[in-house]
Amino acid sequence: MSTSVVFLIDLALKSIVVLAAAGVATLAMRRSPAASRHLVWTFAVVGTLALPLLMRALPPLRVSLLSPPSGVIVDEPIVRSATVLPPVTGPADNLARRVPALDQQSAVSLQSAISRRSSMAVSPESGRVLDPQPVPLSMRLALLWFAGFIAVFVPILVARIRLSLVARRAVSIESGPVAEVVAVVTALYGITRKVRVLESHAAAMPMTWGLASPVLLLPARVSDWPRWKIRNVVMHELAHTDRFDCLTQLIAQVACAVYWFNPLVWVAARRMRVERELACDDRVISAGSRPSDYADQLLDVARSLRAIPATAHAAIAMARPSQLSGRVIAVLDPSRPRNGVSRRFRSLAGTAVTLLIAPLAALAPWSVASPAPREVGTPVPGSVTKGTVSAAMPRSVSPAVPAKTDAPAATAATNGVPSLSSTFITAAVPFIKAMQAPAGLVTLATPDLTMTVSSAQVCWQTRSKEGEKGSTSISSNDDDSRRGRRSFSVKFERGGCRMEMQIDGKFTLRPDLTDVASLESDGSFWMEERDGGTTRRIEIRPARGGLDHVYYVNGRRSEFDAGARRWLADALLALERRTAFAADTRVPMLFEQNGIRSVTDEISRLEGDYARHRYYSVLLSMGMNFDAPTLVRLINQAASEISSDYYLSETLGKLSSQRYADESVWRAFAEATGRMTSDYYKSEAIGKVLVNDRLSSTTLSFLLRTAGTIKSDYYQAEILKGVARKYAINPQTRQYYMDALDKIGSDYYRYEVIKTLDTGTEWDEGISSSIINAISGIKSDYYKSESLQALIQHGRLKGSSRDWYFNAVRSIGSDYYKAAAMSQALAERPLTRETVAALLAAAPTIRSDHELAGLLTRVARSYRLDSGLRTAYERAANSIGSDYYRGQAFAALGRTSSDQ
């Protein structure tokens, strides 16, 4: 076997390690945004493509971990001698007489082999035997790999040819509602590449393709769709363009062609397809689309439209049926994080992949076999030689004969290093023996150590001390098919401890939670604990005069004595503190015993955010209104003990509806909300407070300060729009509002906030100047112009804010949008001389003769110019280079003068 075969085996194993590591990482990131998981898979696939190059470029890092394949000795090349046997003729009995050690049968075999060897041609120049060899294994593997590569790559070429034909038949969309939406979304994403928008002649599914020149294909009669549907489709497809998903899809396809024999590569390519669709769906939802409407649209697109055949390998369609169920579930999941990939995460992921790929590529895991070298020309012992010819042969192709051993359990080793399988078997022997130990007693036997561990009496308490969190699953049914029968089941596992409980029918527990107090006549209760080799089970059934307790230990019925009762009480309490299944009766009982203090103390003893949230929910639903100091204590305790943003948001939402909440409560509420990491739940908690009509400016300041910590532009904008719709921006809240607004990086969402700033109240000049300053930070000429025009529409251009307005207008680069913003100033009512003078002073900054002439014409028609304004008008008109447009501007001035 040649070194090229070893290289392929080494490459395949290393690619498996890289992709398996990516799978483990994305599994741990299952609650992270889909865009982050897609990035991890992309880096891993790129790493697999870089592996063969790095393995050739980097110096080897030799670590003897694995035995080389049979017939291969990994070492440096050495010089060997090729032995030429002379022709030997004669019967086999002559050979047997010449070599007495051979019997007759062996002599016949050897004579036959020598005869075949003698019939071979010998090169006259070098004396080398010209032995016709079969096709080497490496060549056969190369041909097999190439056949698989072609089989995977041909459909990609066919799909690209098919798409070129589809593009020729489609109609280009240059204007109309679709073109307007595409322009807005392109500006929102900051896509600088020219996007070609096509309308298919049939009901084709929306899809996109192309790297340098993206193409967006939409179905026939798409202009008849509602605008929100067009926006959703365009946002989803152009999100692929902005994310360069066509490039990452091509990279995944190349990896599948190169590593077609590796199933993990195909898994990685599929996960990349799934995650990229989820990431684009997240963008649509984050942009403000209603999840239920978008989910319906996905189903409608998949049902009524069809993907063009033979294009899946080159184009990205919107809603392929194979991925639809998971996407709809993700769209409707309110707890799903939908933010994109931050620069910090991209840098960390790239660094992590590099730190994995580089050492792995340099690693040489094969054990080195070093046979004793022979001198050049030394004949092989026992052979008959007539002449020898030296030839340089690599040691990696020298035959290795495995040694025989009489020991049945001997481990195969190369150069003193045991193989991987033998090492695993040796290490597993003690654990195999431990499996055969009696139940309840575990004995680990090794050559140096024997350790005995006795089963714990209460296993979940022991696991708690070890710090293991465990897993819990709860299911309940209050109205099933069996006469409205109530059922409840719970499974809890921590380490080697497993608890199960099943309750059918209505039940009550004792106040101290030591036993079941009552059970429905045909109900049942059972609970079981498994701890290693020990099993305890209790079954409780209704009986005359009470309840019947049947107790089992390791499947045998035992007496329900004091020890069993103590076990039942401990188990019920442990399950309650983990699952809060009896919170509805336990919380009121605790409150009656010692007030709210006993409830909060018990909450501190609970395990898990779900149980704590359940206790808070029951406490706050008891119809009592707590005073402000009590609410502050509850908020602070919930924020310090509940780590889940979802459950903390739900708890804070219930606390926010309390009647006696004051400024101290809202301050604590804002601080607790600020501890959340999820922008969604942070905005949801603040939104539950904004529905109140009794918030003061101080409270709004607290909430706006917390809103400033939100990283998502969408959720930041939603909070600011909610504040603007219900509350006036006053000098006390202005600074916090502006700080939050300045943190919105998206021009689109900043514009969305500014256009809602019409609360019907009078602004002072400071507020107007602050808003215009925020508009100046918008990079897009379109959204900057639209935001400035919104201020005019709301009547906010007054006092010194007028100068701020036209300074912001001057910063617009596009002459078209600059003229539009100036023209909107003419809509001020009443239109003042100060506004016209400021406009004429800024007008010469327009470089386009056409736009400037049109603006001056509108000025002449909108306002009667006095001598001072006429001078400014003429100065602006004289800056027009074109005689035609300059004459047009002076003609408009002359007409207005004659009319006057």
Side-chain angles (χ1 to χ4, degrees):
M1 189 182 300
S2 65
T3 54
S4 59
V5 177
V6 178
F7 178 82
L8 292 177
I9 297 174
D10 194 14
L11 179 62
L13 293 177
K14 290 177 178 179
S15 65
I16 291 175
V17 172
V18 173
L19 296 175
V24 173
T26 53
L27 183 63
M29 296 167 56
R30 56 185 178 274
R31 297 306 303 169
S32 300
S36 300
R37 296 192 297 271
H38 181 268
L39 181 68
V40 172
W41 280 116
T42 301
F43 281 171
V45 171
V46 172
T48 58
L49 293 177
L51 268 176
L53 302 178
L54 294 176
M55 290 170 63
R56 292 296 189 186
L58 295 176
L61 177 62
R62 293 202 178 275
V63 180
S64 296
L65 296 177
L66 302 174
S67 299
S70 178
V72 176
I73 299 177
V74 182
D75 203 349
E76 298 298 327
I78 64 171
V79 176
R80 290 296 179 95
S81 60
T83 302
V84 181
L85 298 178
V88 179
T89 59
D93 54 354
N94 294 334
L95 182 62
R97 288 193 297 270
R98 293 167 57 186
V99 186
L102 295 178
D103 56 17
Q104 186 67 22
Q105 183 178 358
S106 300
V108 172
S109 301
L110 182 57
Q111 177 64 45
S112 176
I114 294 176
S115 299
R116 289 195 302 269
R117 182 77 177 186
S118 301
S119 63
M120 297 178 183
V122 179
S123 174
E125 293 82 4
S126 61
R128 186 185 302 274
V129 177
L130 302 180
D131 189 1
Q133 297 292 331
V135 179
L137 176 61
S138 58
M139 180 63 70
R140 284 180 284 173
L141 290 178
L143 293 175
L144 178 63
W145 173 86
F146 187 72
F149 180 87
I150 294 298
V152 176
F153 212 77
V154 165
I156 302 176
L157 300 178
V158 173
R160 295 195 176 277
I161 296 174
R162 173 67 170 159
L163 287 176
S164 63
L165 298 177
V166 171
R168 290 180 184 178
R169 299 175 184 174
V171 179
S172 179
I173 300 178
E174 303 291 343
S175 60
V178 175
E180 295 175 0
V181 172
V182 171
V184 172
V185 175
T186 303
L188 171 62
Y189 287 154
I191 299 175
T192 58
R193 292 169 290 167
K194 176 64 177 177
V195 179
R196 184 183 176 192
V197 185
L198 303 178
E199 181 178 347
S200 175
H201 64 283
M205 185 173 294
M207 60 177 58
T208 184
W209 68 88
L211 300 177
S213 300
V215 179
L216 172 60
L217 180 69
L218 298 174
R221 304 182 64 84
V222 66
S223 300
D224 298 337
W225 289 11
R227 195 176 184 90
W228 67 270
K229 283 191 173 183
I230 299 175
R231 177 175 176 270
N232 287 347
V233 171
V234 172
M235 288 198 73
H236 179 93
E237 293 303 315
L238 290 188
H240 288 301
T241 301
D242 181 47
R243 288 167 34 85
F244 290 89
D245 282 338
C246 291
L247 175 60
T248 57
Q249 175 180 260
L250 179 60
I251 292 173
Q253 290 169 341
V254 171
C256 289
V258 174
Y259 293 94
W260 56 265
F261 51 86
N262 188 348
L264 286 186
V265 174
W266 296 94
V267 173
R270 172 174 172 74
R271 292 312 307 170
M272 288 178 64
R273 291 194 298 270
V274 172
E275 300 297 352
R276 80 179 179 219
E277 295 301 328
L278 294 177
C280 293
D281 291 341
D282 291 342
R283 284 207 180 185
V284 178
I285 301 302
S286 299
S289 296
R290 184 177 299 174
S292 57
D293 293 341
Y294 183 61
D296 290 339
Q297 186 177 4
L298 287 177
L299 295 173
D300 183 62
V301 167
R303 180 173 56 251
S304 59
L305 304 177
R306 292 291 179 268
I308 299 177
T311 60
H313 290 84
I316 301 177
M318 180 178 179
R320 295 189 184 276
S322 59
Q323 306 172 0
L324 201 57
S325 59
R327 290 175 59 187
V328 171
I329 293 174
V331 166
L332 298 177
D333 184 4
S335 64
R336 179 182 180 83
R338 305 188 187 276
N339 50 303
V341 180
S342 63
R343 292 182 179 178
R344 182 172 179 270
F345 180 82
R346 187 179 289 108
S347 300
L348 290 175
T351 303
V353 173
T354 303
L355 293 177
L356 173 64
I357 295 293
L360 186 64
L363 181 66
W366 306 103
S367 303
V368 177
S370 299
R374 301 189 188 94
E375 296 181 358
V376 177
T378 301
V380 179
S383 65
V384 181
T385 63
K386 183 177 181 180
T388 60
V389 179
S390 299
M393 299 177 60
R395 186 173 297 176
S396 57
V397 298
S398 61
V401 181
K404 296 182 180 181
T405 177
D406 297 331
T411 57
T414 304
N415 199 25
V417 179
S419 67
L420 187 64
S421 59
S422 62
T423 304
F424 173 78
I425 295 174
T426 304
V429 169
F431 295 94
I432 297 173
K433 293 181 178 180
M435 296 287 292
Q436 302 172 354
L441 188 65
V442 180
T443 303
L444 300 182
T446 64
D448 302 321
L449 174 65
T450 301
M451 179 175 62
T452 304
V453 180
S454 180
S455 301
Q457 182 177 2
V458 185
C459 67
W460 52 88
Q461 295 177 354
T462 304
R463 302 301 183 268
S464 178
K465 293 177 183 178
E466 293 174 356
E468 299 184 34
K469 294 182 178 180
S471 61
T472 307
S473 63
I474 305 172
S475 62
S476 61
N477 187 4
D478 291 333
D479 187 17
D480 59 13
S481 58
R482 295 186 295 172
R483 299 181 290 107
R485 185 186 192 82
R486 180 182 179 183
S487 63
F488 180 87
S489 64
V490 60
K491 295 180 181 179
F492 169 54
E493 186 170 2
R494 178 188 283 144
C497 175
R498 179 183 178 90
M499 284 290 304
E500 289 188 61
M501 182 176 66
Q502 175 72 41
I503 307 175
D504 288 330
K506 298 179 180 180
F507 70 97
T508 60
L509 300 176
R510 290 183 179 178
D512 57 359
L513 214 68
T514 58
D515 199 352
V516 177
S518 65
L519 189 61
E520 195 174 359
S521 59
D522 57 345
S524 63
F525 174 100
W526 64 265
M527 182 167 55
E528 185 175 272
E529 175 207 44
R530 296 180 182 178
D531 179 21
T534 303
T535 301
R536 297 184 179 91
R537 179 183 177 91
I538 183 71
E539 296 179 1
I540 304 177
R541 309 184 186 94
R544 286 187 179 181
L547 298 174
D548 186 18
H549 295 69
V550 182
Y551 180 60
Y552 299 91
V553 177
N554 293 333
R556 296 182 180 181
R557 184 164 181 173
S558 303
E559 182 182 358
F560 189 63
D561 54 8
R565 295 181 184 277
R566 185 171 63 254
W567 170 81
L568 175 60
D570 291 343
L572 287 174
L573 182 60
L575 286 176
E576 169 61 18
R577 288 178 174 173
R578 181 72 183 179
T579 64
F581 72 96
D584 292 333
T585 56
R586 183 164 172 76
V587 172
M589 183 268 293
L590 291 172
F591 188 82
E592 291 177 1
Q593 287 180 353
N594 195 21
I596 194 171
R597 173 68 67 180
S598 60
V599 179
T600 55
D601 289 345
E602 181 62 19
I603 290 176
S604 299
R605 300 186 185 98
L606 299 178
E607 297 183 39
D609 295 331
Y610 169 78
R612 299 185 187 102
H613 164 65
R614 279 283 298 137
Y615 269 56
Y616 280 116
S617 300
V618 175
L619 176 64
L620 297 173
S621 63
M622 291 171 58
M624 291 175 292
N625 288 293
F626 302 106
D627 57 10
T630 301
L631 292 176
V632 171
R633 288 197 302 271
L634 291 175
I635 291 174
N636 291 334
Q637 180 177 349
S640 62
E641 294 180 348
I642 298 179
S643 58
S644 167
D645 289 346
Y646 169 74
Y647 290 122
L648 181 57
S649 174
E650 291 292 314
T651 303
L652 293 178
K654 295 180 183 299
L655 287 167
S656 66
S657 61
Q658 286 288 308
R659 180 181 302 175
Y660 300 113
D662 59 7
E663 302 301 338
S664 62
V665 175
W666 299 127
R667 180 189 296 271
F669 182 93
E671 292 176 354
T673 304
R675 297 182 184 180
M676 297 181 184
T677 58
S678 168
D679 292 335
Y680 171 79
Y681 291 117
K682 191 179 295 185
S683 64
E684 186 179 63
I686 297 175
K688 291 177 181 178
V689 181
L690 292 178
V691 299
N692 299 321
D693 295 326
R694 51 190 172 88
L695 300 181
S696 64
S697 297
T698 305
T699 300
L700 285 177
S701 300
F702 294 149
L703 297 177
L704 289 172
R705 191 183 309 171
T706 302
T709 63
I710 295 177
K711 300 180 181 64
S712 168
D713 291 340
Y714 169 73
Y715 293 120
Q716 184 92 277
E718 289 298 306
I719 294 297
L720 297 182
K721 288 192 290 185
V723 172
R725 291 190 187 104
K726 298 198 64 175
Y727 303 96
I729 301 175
N730 53 48
Q732 185 176 356
T733 61
R734 177 183 63 195
Q735 184 61 44
Y736 299 111
Y737 195 93
M738 291 299 108
D739 289 344
L741 180 60
D742 287 339
K743 291 181 180 178
I744 297 179
S746 167
D747 294 337
Y748 170 76
Y749 288 118
R750 187 175 291 199
Y751 160 68
E752 284 287 309
V753 174
I754 292 172
K755 75 178 184 180
T756 60
L757 296 178
D758 183 23
T759 59
T761 60
E762 291 295 331
W763 290 356
D764 59 17
E765 295 181 2
I767 295 177
S768 298
S769 299
S770 298
I771 296 296
I772 295 174
N773 186 46
I775 295 175
S776 299
I778 296 178
K779 302 178 183 64
S780 168
D781 291 338
Y782 169 76
Y783 288 119
K784 183 181 291 186
S785 176
E786 289 293 315
S787 300
L788 291 171
Q789 294 179 56
L791 291 182
I792 302 296
Q793 295 168 0
H794 297 160
R796 304 304 184 188
L797 191 61
K798 295 180 180 180
S800 62
S801 61
R802 185 182 294 108
D803 297 332
W804 287 79
Y805 180 89
F806 284 103
N807 286 335
V809 169
R810 286 186 175 91
S811 65
I812 298 177
S814 168
D815 291 333
Y816 172 79
Y817 292 121
K818 184 184 292 186
M822 291 186 182
S823 299
Q824 187 63 43
L826 297 174
E828 181 188 14
R829 292 295 180 267
L831 182 59
T832 63
R833 186 183 186 280
E834 291 78 7
T835 299
V836 177
L839 187 152
L840 292 174
T845 61
I846 297 177
R847 297 181 297 272
S848 169
D849 294 342
H850 169 73
E851 298 296 344
L852 181 54
L855 174 64
L856 294 178
T857 301
R858 288 188 289 272
V859 170
R861 293 173 181 174
S862 302
Y863 192 80
R864 181 177 297 179
L865 304 179
D866 55 26
S867 57
L869 293 178
R870 287 176 64 86
T871 303
Y873 184 96
E874 292 172 355
R875 186 184 304 112
N878 286 326
S879 66
I880 299 175
S882 169
D883 295 336
Y884 172 78
Y885 287 114
R886 189 187 317 114
Q888 186 182 35
F890 278 109
L893 180 61
R895 285 194 299 271
T896 56
S897 299
S898 62
D899 293 339
Q900 296 173 5

